[in-house]
CSV table of all heavy atoms in Angstrom, one decimal:
chain,number,residue,atom,x,y,z
T,42,GLY,N,21.8,99.3,-129.3
T,42,GLY,CA,21.6,99.0,-130.7
T,42,GLY,C,22.6,97.9,-131.2
T,42,GLY,O,23.0,97.1,-130.4
T,43,LEU,N,23.0,98.0,-132.5
T,43,LEU,CA,23.9,97.1,-133.1
T,43,LEU,C,25.3,97.5,-132.8
T,43,LEU,O,25.7,98.6,-133.3
T,43,LEU,CB,23.6,97.0,-134.6
T,43,LEU,CG,22.8,95.9,-135.1
T,43,LEU,CD1,22.5,96.0,-136.6
T,43,LEU,CD2,23.4,94.5,-134.9
T,44,GLU,N,26.1,96.7,-132.2
T,44,GLU,CA,27.5,97.0,-132.0
T,44,GLU,C,28.4,95.9,-132.6
T,44,GLU,O,28.2,94.7,-132.4
T,44,GLU,CB,27.8,96.9,-130.5
T,44,GLU,CG,27.0,97.9,-129.6
T,44,GLU,CD,27.4,97.6,-128.1
T,44,GLU,OE1,26.7,96.7,-127.5
T,44,GLU,OE2,28.2,98.3,-127.6
T,45,LEU,N,29.4,96.4,-133.4
T,45,LEU,CA,30.3,95.5,-134.0
T,45,LEU,C,31.3,95.0,-133.0
T,45,LEU,O,32.0,95.8,-132.3
T,45,LEU,CB,31.0,96.1,-135.2
T,45,LEU,CG,32.1,95.3,-135.9
T,45,LEU,CD1,31.5,94.1,-136.6
T,45,LEU,CD2,32.9,96.1,-136.9
T,46,LEU,N,31.4,93.7,-132.8
T,46,LEU,CA,32.4,93.2,-131.8
T,46,LEU,C,33.7,92.9,-132.4
T,46,LEU,O,34.8,93.3,-131.9
T,46,LEU,CB,31.8,91.9,-131.2
T,46,LEU,CG,30.4,92.0,-130.5
T,46,LEU,CD1,30.0,90.7,-130.0
T,46,LEU,CD2,30.5,93.0,-129.3
T,47,ILE,N,33.7,92.2,-133.5
T,47,ILE,CA,35.0,91.7,-134.1
T,47,ILE,C,34.7,91.4,-135.6
T,47,ILE,O,33.6,91.0,-135.9
T,47,ILE,CB,35.6,90.5,-133.4
T,47,ILE,CG1,37.0,90.2,-134.0
T,47,ILE,CG2,34.6,89.3,-133.4
T,47,ILE,CD1,37.7,89.1,-133.1
T,48,TYR,N,35.7,91.5,-136.5
T,48,TYR,CA,35.5,91.0,-137.8
T,48,TYR,C,36.8,90.3,-138.3
T,48,TYR,O,37.9,90.7,-137.9
T,48,TYR,CB,34.9,92.0,-138.8
T,48,TYR,CG,35.9,93.0,-139.4
T,48,TYR,CD1,36.5,92.7,-140.6
T,48,TYR,CD2,36.0,94.2,-138.8
T,48,TYR,CE1,37.3,93.7,-141.2
T,48,TYR,CE2,36.8,95.2,-139.3
T,48,TYR,CZ,37.5,94.9,-140.5
T,48,TYR,OH,38.3,95.9,-141.1
T,49,PHE,N,36.6,89.4,-139.2
T,49,PHE,CA,37.7,88.6,-139.8
T,49,PHE,C,37.7,88.8,-141.3
T,49,PHE,O,36.6,88.9,-141.9
T,49,PHE,CB,37.4,87.1,-139.5
T,49,PHE,CG,37.4,86.6,-138.1
T,49,PHE,CD1,36.3,86.8,-137.3
T,49,PHE,CD2,38.6,86.0,-137.6
T,49,PHE,CE1,36.3,86.4,-136.0
T,49,PHE,CE2,38.6,85.6,-136.2
T,49,PHE,CZ,37.4,85.8,-135.5
T,50,ASN,N,38.9,88.9,-141.9
T,50,ASN,CA,39.1,88.8,-143.3
T,50,ASN,C,39.9,87.5,-143.6
T,50,ASN,O,41.0,87.4,-143.0
T,50,ASN,CB,39.8,90.0,-143.9
T,50,ASN,CG,38.8,91.1,-144.2
T,50,ASN,OD1,37.6,90.9,-144.2
T,50,ASN,ND2,39.4,92.2,-144.6
T,51,ASN,N,39.4,86.7,-144.5
T,51,ASN,CA,40.2,85.5,-144.8
T,51,ASN,C,40.6,84.7,-143.5
T,51,ASN,O,41.8,84.3,-143.4
T,51,ASN,CB,41.4,85.8,-145.7
T,51,ASN,CG,40.9,86.4,-147.0
T,51,ASN,OD1,40.0,85.9,-147.7
T,51,ASN,ND2,41.6,87.5,-147.5
T,52,ASN,N,39.7,84.6,-142.6
T,52,ASN,CA,39.9,83.8,-141.3
T,52,ASN,C,40.8,84.5,-140.3
T,52,ASN,O,41.1,84.0,-139.3
T,52,ASN,CB,40.4,82.4,-141.6
T,52,ASN,CG,39.7,81.7,-142.7
T,52,ASN,OD1,38.6,82.0,-143.1
T,52,ASN,ND2,40.3,80.7,-143.2
T,53,VAL,N,41.3,85.7,-140.6
T,53,VAL,CA,42.2,86.4,-139.7
T,53,VAL,C,41.5,87.5,-139.0
T,53,VAL,O,40.8,88.4,-139.7
T,53,VAL,CB,43.4,87.0,-140.5
T,53,VAL,CG1,44.3,87.8,-139.6
T,53,VAL,CG2,44.2,85.9,-141.2
T,54,PRO,N,41.6,87.6,-137.7
T,54,PRO,CA,40.9,88.7,-137.0
T,54,PRO,C,41.6,90.1,-137.4
T,54,PRO,O,42.8,90.2,-137.3
T,54,PRO,CB,41.1,88.4,-135.5
T,54,PRO,CG,42.3,87.5,-135.5
T,54,PRO,CD,42.3,86.7,-136.8
T,55,ILE,N,40.8,91.0,-137.8
T,55,ILE,CA,41.3,92.3,-138.3
T,55,ILE,C,41.1,93.4,-137.2
T,55,ILE,O,42.0,94.2,-137.0
T,55,ILE,CB,40.6,92.7,-139.6
T,55,ILE,CG1,40.8,91.7,-140.7
T,55,ILE,CG2,41.1,94.1,-140.1
T,55,ILE,CD1,42.3,91.4,-141.0
T,56,ASP,N,39.9,93.4,-136.6
T,56,ASP,CA,39.6,94.5,-135.7
T,56,ASP,C,38.7,93.9,-134.6
T,56,ASP,O,37.6,93.5,-134.8
T,56,ASP,CB,38.8,95.6,-136.4
T,56,ASP,CG,38.6,96.8,-135.5
T,56,ASP,OD1,38.8,96.7,-134.3
T,56,ASP,OD2,38.1,97.8,-136.0
Side-chain angles (χ1 to χ4, degrees):
Chain T
L43 261 174
E44 301 174 275
L45 178 65
L46 301 177
I47 185 171
Y48 80 92
F49 296 81
N50 271 353
N51 297 316
N52 313 340
V53 176
I55 301 301
D56 184 353

